[in-house]
Amino acid sequence: MNAPRIRAPRSARAGEVVEIRTLLEHPMETGLRQEGGRTVPRDMLSRLLVRVNGEVALQAEFRNGSAANPFHVFFLRVERTSELDFTWTDEAGRSARATHRISVG
């Protein structure tokens, strides 16, 4: 898996709702596609888990309908300086991680 990309503000006001954007380059092969007369092996992400200061804020389970290079946007209310931890896991148990800090002041 390639390095994930996160776009989120570095700072916010207490109580502000901020937009978080994530992108992970991944082929998301379902195992159904044929290429050159051969079936392309299945290679799918299965989950995205986002923790804010250690608590689960978002958990997404992926299925066959997920597009390649999954892009997710969600909104988060920030009450205090927060450490966001993102973990993508594929069906083989491999994972990619990223962190981002939002300072409140």
Side-chain angles (χ1 to χ4, degrees):
M1 284 187 254
N2 290 331
R5 290 186 252 169
I6 308 296
R7 179 177 282 173
R10 294 196 184 279
S11 62
R13 294 181 313 274
E16 184 177 357
V17 176
V18 297
E19 181 180 72
I20 313 291
R21 294 173 175 247
T22 70
L23 177 92
L24 180 65
E25 292 182 29
H26 193 280
M28 298 295 278
E29 289 291 348
T30 63
L32 302 174
R33 188 170 64 88
Q34 298 281 321
E35 187 175 273
R38 304 179 90 182
T39 301
V40 177
R42 185 174 176 90
D43 186 8
M44 294 283 292
L45 289 173
S46 59
R47 167 191 264 187
L48 166 60
L49 180 65
V50 180
R51 293 181 184 270
V52 178
N53 297 323
E55 295 184 30
V56 175
L58 173 77
Q59 182 174 321
E61 302 289 330
F62 303 121
R63 301 288 184 246
N64 280 354
S66 299
N69 305 322
F71 174 73
H72 292 90
V73 178
F74 63 97
F75 296 88
L76 181 68
R77 183 179 309 276
V78 182
E79 298 294 341
R80 60 188 171 101
T81 296
S82 299
E83 188 74 29
L84 283 68
D85 182 39
F86 302 83
T87 305
W88 290 261
T89 307
D90 70 8
E91 293 176 338
R94 298 172 300 199
S95 62
R97 292 191 65 197
T99 59
H100 183 82
R101 183 178 181 85
I102 300 176
S103 297
V104 172

